[in-house]
Amino acid sequence: MPEAKLRLTIPSDIWIGDITRNHPETRVRVLAAIPDGLTGVGLAEVTGPDAAAVVAEMADEEELTDFETLQHLDGEALVQFETTNPLLLFPARGSGTPLQMPFDIRDGVADWEVTAPNDRLSALGEQLEEFGIRFTVDYVHQRAASEQVLTDRQREIVATAVEEGYYDTPRGCSLTELAETVGIAKSSCSDTLHRAEEAIVKSFVEGRVTDERPPA
């Protein structure tokens, strides 16, 4: 399944973009967000030197029809809000692409990570353009589940090798000592590690193919 990381530039007339651009050192982390017709409800963590100012501006924002500060500490706040203009939710909903939470907004830029089939990613790109949201693609690669890469026995031996320091520099244990720890012959341990390492390296190389262009 393709996994992509996108950087979205929020238009200047959108409240969350304007507020975070006013306070570029403060991060708004969206913990949860759901569309409700033409409105949206969100839960966000505000962190940074201007957290109090950001919260105050959000409380005064006309497009937020409901706003509540759930927690407020020095340099950090937890807020819940309802907005009449949840622009970032519309492209995701229109393309049928679920947003992975949390995602960060800082200085007018939102960082998204999405996992979806290629056709949904393409539809997401089209929706973002339709709503006037400029974006770049940091990467697109295939997401491989770890259980598909290694067998249970391979994962067990690799995990033990890491715990015992076999991959440390200098090594914390020898192959002989590792084989004794997992209770198998040295030759079997070596063969299992070699096969596991081969699978991990191939999965990494195949999965980290990047694409700087928008999803197509």
Side-chain angles (χ1 to χ4, degrees), residues 11 15 28 32 38 42 46 53 58 65 75-76 85 89 91 111 117 131 136 144-145 155-156 164 205-206 209 211 214:
W15 64 271
V28 175
L38 296 178
V46 182
M58 292 177 72
T65 55
E76 183 177 328
N85 192 6
L89 299 183
D111 291 321
F131 282 97
T136 59
R155 286 200 302 275
E156 177 187 349
E164 296 296 320
V205 171
E206 293 170 0
V209 175
D211 185 353

Side-chain angles (χ1 to χ4, degrees), residues 6-71:
L6 311 179
R7 292 180 61 82
L8 285 61
T9 300
I10 303 172
S12 58
D13 58 343
I14 301 302
W15 64 271
I16 188 63
D18 290 342
I19 290 176
T20 55
R21 271 185 284 268
N22 290 340
H23 307 279
E25 300 301 319
T26 297
R27 180 194 69 194
V28 175
R29 171 164 288 179
V30 180
L31 305 176
I34 55 173
D36 184 12
L38 296 178
T39 65
V41 178
L43 178 69
E45 178 185 73
V46 182
T47 308
D50 294 339
V54 169
V55 170
E57 290 186 28
M58 292 177 72
D60 290 339
E61 174 57 51
E62 293 182 356
E63 291 186 353
L64 297 187
T65 55
D66 187 42
F67 182 83
E68 183 177 359
T69 302
L70 305 179
Q71 182 178 344

Side-chain angles (χ1 to χ4, degrees), residues 9-156:
T9 300
I10 303 172
S12 58
D13 58 343
I14 301 302
W15 64 271
I16 188 63
D18 290 342
I19 290 176
T20 55
R21 271 185 284 268
N22 290 340
H23 307 279
E25 300 301 319
T26 297
R27 180 194 69 194
V28 175
R29 171 164 288 179
V30 180
L31 305 176
I34 55 173
D36 184 12
L38 296 178
T39 65
V41 178
L43 178 69
E45 178 185 73
V46 182
T47 308
D50 294 339
V54 169
V55 170
E57 290 186 28
M58 292 177 72
D60 290 339
E61 174 57 51
E62 293 182 356
E63 291 186 353
L64 297 187
T65 55
D66 187 42
F67 182 83
E68 183 177 359
T69 302
L70 305 179
Q71 182 178 344
H72 198 173
L73 304 172
D74 186 26
E76 183 177 328
L78 182 66
V79 300
Q80 183 172 307
F81 57 89
E82 181 175 353
T83 174
T84 58
N85 192 6
L87 182 71
L88 294 182
L89 299 183
F90 294 148
R93 183 175 63 181
S95 63
T97 304
L99 288 182
Q100 294 179 206
M101 300 288 173
F103 67 85
D104 291 346
I105 302 173
R106 190 193 298 267
D107 195 14
V109 175
D111 291 321
W112 277 4
E113 291 185 354
V114 293
T115 301
N118 284 322
D119 59 339
R120 294 289 178 91
L121 291 180
S122 296
L124 177 60
E126 293 171 359
Q127 286 284 304
L128 288 170
E129 292 176 353
E130 183 176 330
F131 282 97
I133 302 174
R134 293 185 292 109
F135 67 99
T136 59
V137 181
D138 282 359
Y139 62 72
V140 177
H141 63 238
Q142 289 295 127
R143 182 179 185 181
S146 60
E147 62 268 18
Q148 296 175 342
V149 176
L150 302 180
T151 67
D152 290 342
R153 186 56 168 162
Q154 287 172 340
R155 286 200 302 275
E156 177 187 349

